[in-house]
Amino acid sequence: MKGGSGLPAPLRAALRVGEATCYRHCDRPTRVTEITSGLPGLWQVLACPSGVVSVVSYAELGSTNPSNRVRGALRRWASPVSLVRRRDLRLATRHGPELGPRAERWLAAAPPGQRVRVVYWRVYPSKGADGVERRLGVCQDRHRAPVFFFGSPGSVDWVCPKCSRPPGASRPPGSPSPGLRSRRQSSRVAGTGNPAASPLNRRGRPQAHRPPSGHHRVPTPLVLRR
Amino acid sequence: MRASRAPRRLTIVLAQWCPHCVPLSVKNGRLLAKGLGIPLRLLDIDRKDQGKEADRYVRRYGDAAPDYLIPQVFLEWSDGTVEHLLTGFSEQVARTAAAWRSLLSSAWLARTRRGARG
């Protein structure tokens, strides 16, 4: 595979997402779904039971930055494709010492130039001209591939653009779609909506704590947030 | 060669409002710097006098993106090289905390400390 060689088991294990709660939508635990695609690495979608996406990540061992390939894959799954913007893709290089002893040993023996890179896709909630807050949603139990869309959870427009049904209304247990593998539904309810427990926001910024302005460059949002 | 170089300074690019940064990464950065016997430098992306240097570090040595992730941690060596050590985990603060724990107990750190002492 061009640019990447997938993700060997020790690294895959080290990068699997543990328990997490929904990002600034509800306090329910996220379901982590692994997606298969034409790319060799590990895709993980974190979404709450209502189908609100906290973050999508793609991890790969390789010699090049996979961001463009990740963007291409996401554009195939997003409706509309304009949902996938470069500024919403954020890169992180993962090194052996931070990934635990097994991954550290594995990476120490890896060929030179091979690096673990993770690309995160996080779309922040935003309010439109109508004042309604919209979020990234995913419908992934009724399709061969996930369908990402933007809407207002709980409203009439919170439906999958492909099947016209709310994403939370999943298939009966035990009948997963091909291409999608739900790995875990955490039973532990963690988090209290405390910003300190929230994942990184724009440049790691929790929205609730965001100052009114900053002197550093912040990309213009598609629509006004807050 | 490599054996002759030594750690010189630890730099963390952060923001005060980021829960992955403060207090988590500042506290662990202090531990790491102390263990290596080097100073810790904090570059706050929201401070005029530090933001540009923070951007430069991330662009040149770190995980650059139009809207990059923080914190990002760098180790500067006596030979002038800068090594990217860690970027915050977007999934959850607890995951960034776990990465710090692994880093502080890593074989890499033990080797680096032995080298720094030697």
Side-chain angles (χ1 to χ4, degrees), chain A residues 93-94 202 205 215-216, chain B residues 17 46 63 67 70 87 90:
Chain A
T93 306
R94 302 298 178 205
R202 190 171 289 282
R205 176 172 297 179
H215 71 272
H216 63 277
Chain B
W17 37 257
D46 286 331
D63 290 325
D67 192 15
I70 51 172
T87 291
S90 201

Side-chain angles (χ1 to χ4, degrees), chain B residues 21-34:
Chain B
C21 304
V22 182
L24 177 68
S25 293
V26 173
K27 183 180 150 203
N28 284 287
R30 284 199 186 110
L31 282 175
L32 179 56
K34 188 178 175 188

Side-chain angles (χ1 to χ4, degrees), chain A residues 2-32:
Chain A
K2 186 182 177 186
S5 55
L7 204 62
L11 304 180
R12 201 168 272 261
L15 288 163
R16 283 214 163 98
V17 178
E19 293 187 350
T21 48
C22 184
Y23 178 73
R24 294 184 177 277
H25 164 249
C26 63
D27 283 342
R28 289 181 292 175
T30 53
R31 171 191 182 195
V32 185

Side-chain angles (χ1 to χ4, degrees), chain A residues 13-67:
Chain A
L15 288 163
R16 283 214 163 98
V17 178
E19 293 187 350
T21 48
C22 184
Y23 178 73
R24 294 184 177 277
H25 164 249
C26 63
D27 283 342
R28 289 181 292 175
T30 53
R31 171 191 182 195
V32 185
T33 307
E34 294 184 12
I35 307 171
T36 54
S37 74
L39 299 180
L42 173 67
W43 284 98
Q44 296 181 97
V45 179
L46 277 72
C48 78
S50 300
V52 174
V53 176
S54 290
V55 69
V56 178
S57 69
Y58 174 78
E60 178 183 292
L61 176 70
S63 56
T64 58
N65 180 348
S67 293

